[in-house]
Amino acid sequence: MSKILQFLTILLIAYTISACSCSKDRQQPAEEPVVSDTMPRLVMQVQQCSRLYTAEYHIHKIVTHDDVVRLKGNILRQDFDIPLPLGERKVAIPMDATLKAYIDFSGFSEKNVERDGRRITILLPDPKVVLTSSKINQQEVKTYVGLTRSHFTDRELTAYEQQGRQAILNSAADMGIVQTAQENAARVLVPMLVQLGYREEDITVAFRHDLNIRQLINSSLEKK
């Protein structure tokens, strides 16, 4: 009987020690995951994006040109400017064009990244804007030519079409395409950083503050 009592006493002591050990394990707070040095991996993943197209606009424009033969001169010190009858020419050219904005990450490096503890800031490269396509519906081109005028030549029509493309490019700064490109790029980068261990609230995607959108678009168009 005494041996049974001793055995039960040993079991009770062992159970008590085990219970205390488990209780201590439960009371220890879980440590936050620590973000390791992910800089090289981050730079490599972003560079793999290379040319990231983040905005696309489809534009319909009617290019018009109107010229009139005018008679100008001076009689008795009086200037005159008279449009000649039947001397007018008009043309309307419908044009469909596609503008795309992209961010070139090929030159992305650690200089584009700032870290402050768990906080990280990504400075995006400037977006680029290109006119990727344009199309003229020749069947819908409208012309009016006065009796005393010659018809539009192919060279003239080609020049007017080019003017129309340039007009679309010049208006790109007012379309918000650059801002859209930046916002969409941020939507791509944030999930990537979250996968690397950063919390979304600790991530900032920034842009160059002195960004002149109109100058930027003109510059990118010249280099396309």
Side-chain angles (χ1 to χ4, degrees), residues 185-203:
R187 292 190 181 98
V188 173
L189 290 178
V190 170
M192 185 185 301
L193 292 167
V194 170
Q195 289 181 355
L196 291 174
Y198 294 94
R199 298 180 301 180
E200 188 169 340
E201 57 268 27
D202 293 331
I203 301 170

Side-chain angles (χ1 to χ4, degrees), residues 100-134:
K100 289 185 179 181
Y102 69 91
I103 294 179
D104 186 359
F105 285 109
S106 60
F108 190 88
S109 68
E110 294 187 8
K111 295 179 180 180
N112 296 88
V113 183
E114 295 180 3
R115 287 181 57 178
D116 182 11
R118 294 188 59 87
R119 297 184 178 276
I120 186 169
T121 299
I122 304 295
L123 180 62
L124 281 183
D126 295 338
K128 307 293 183 182
V129 180
V130 290
L131 191 151
T132 58
S133 67
S134 62

